[in-house]
DNA sequence: GTGGTTTACGGGCATATGCCCATAATAGTC
DNA sequence: GACTATTATGGGCATATGCCCGTAAACCAC
């Protein structure tokens, strides 16, 4: 088993492999894993601003903005105006909600397939570790810009 | 601590966050984390074909082909012809090797910064898990295309 | 209420990721 | 040796990722 020393490379490699698996299983729905994640998170928190949803997704605001483009074009997501006229409030359209419901069993299959191989308990423990990493803050000691400049 | 149920989303979120950290620290070198990984892996295995290097990186061949473009343009990587005229044999140029040497301390700083926060032993254990995931094969029971089609 | 600061987005740029298909070369078969 | 199958790569397409900068709105003094 080849292991790499770099924590970042190890994470990216694993993410690539697992994304391939989920993408394959989700393919019949026409959704990619990232898109499914956006829609699922949106369903949970709608109505919500672009920035707030990006935080939930641990994603750059601009990235989410770009990723929403195909979802709007497909008619799954609606961008309305919020009370604050700077904000754009996101909601799931009926078509988006229906698609999410229809795709749930595919996600379940991908999730079950992975956990059957890796172990459900191991997967849960791993997710906990990953959540800690995903939500770390520089103020907690994680140094993004060390004394190198 | 918000945790997500989806293993894939958890992995991608953590990968995004950690990539940001490494990218920030590597920024003075002009290299992104992915580019550093490609150059480092190439140094270790050169001379090597595109396909073989892609396997080491757990990356799609076409993706590596695209990622090599800016590295060639910058003069860090050289593509020569191999014994098999289908193959393109990759080697690190002198400039590429020098850049890698000069950037090593930045990668070390990023690595140390992460491990100081997450714990070196925990990070090593996590990398082991991630390596298992990155190198899983469908034949080992990981079902990429389940009985859904 | 004017002016400076912060916040929220969008556009542009570059890279990252991976699929599909086409092309070219090798290998295998008879 | 010709035909087929496999392998290695490149080009095109679409999405993913995140930076920077500009614009507009809200907030915050005073």
């Amino acid at each position: 088993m080849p292991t790499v020393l770099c924590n970042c490379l190890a994470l990216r490699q694993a993410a690539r492999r697992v994304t391939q698996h989920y993408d394959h299983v989700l393919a019949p729905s026409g959704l990619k894993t990232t898109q499914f994640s956006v829609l699922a998170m949106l369903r949970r928190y709608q109505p919500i601003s672009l920035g707030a949803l990006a935080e939930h997704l641990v994603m750059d605001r601009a990235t989410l903005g770009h990723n929403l483009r195909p979802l709007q074009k497909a008619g799954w997501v609606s961008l309305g105006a919020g009370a604050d006229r700077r904000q754009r409030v996101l909601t799931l359209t009926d078509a988006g909600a229906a698609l999410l419901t229809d795709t749930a069993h595919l996600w379940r299959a991908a999730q079950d397939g992975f956990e059957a191989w890796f172990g459900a308990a191991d997967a849960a423990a791993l997710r906990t570790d990953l959540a800690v990493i995903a939500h770390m803050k520089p103020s907690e000691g994680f140094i993004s810009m060390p004394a190198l400049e």
Side-chain angles (χ1 to χ4, degrees), chain A:
Chain A
M1 171 73 63
T3 60
V4 292
L5 291 176
C6 181
N7 300 294
C8 187
L9 178 57
L11 261 170
R12 291 178 69 89
Q13 289 180 342
R16 281 196 287 260
R17 188 72 103 183
V18 173
T19 299
Q20 274 184 1
H21 166 63
Y22 279 73
D23 275 350
H24 279 156
V25 179
L26 288 180
S29 71
L31 286 176
K32 298 197 147 207
T33 300
T34 303
Q35 300 175 324
F36 182 83
S37 300
V38 170
L39 295 179
M41 198 69 80
L42 178 55
R43 178 174 64 181
R44 185 170 171 184
Y45 290 108
Q46 70 173 332
I48 187 173
S49 72
L50 195 155
L53 183 59
E55 270 188 33
H56 282 302
L57 288 165
V58 188
M59 183 184 288
D60 185 86
R61 294 171 183 214
T63 301
L64 177 58
H66 298 156
N67 294 357
L68 283 174
R69 217 54 66 86
L71 302 181
Q72 291 177 73
K73 203 168 58 179
W76 298 325
V77 167
S78 170
L79 275 87
D84 186 330
R85 256 184 302 176
R86 289 170 301 185
Q87 289 185 2
R88 306 273 281 159
V89 175
L90 299 166
T91 50
L92 214 52
T93 64
D94 290 343
L99 176 64
L100 210 42
T101 301
D102 293 345
T103 308
H105 72 286
L106 291 175
W107 172 78
R108 190 72 247 171
Q111 183 89 344
D112 289 347
F114 175 80
E115 296 191 351
W117 172 79
F118 190 68
D122 289 340
L126 177 62
R127 284 200 307 274
T128 301
D129 276 356
L130 294 173
V132 170
I133 293 172
H135 295 93
M136 67 190 166
K137 291 176 178 57
S139 58
E140 289 169 0
F142 191 89
I143 304 167
S144 286
M145 300 296 273
L148 287 164
E149 40 180 309

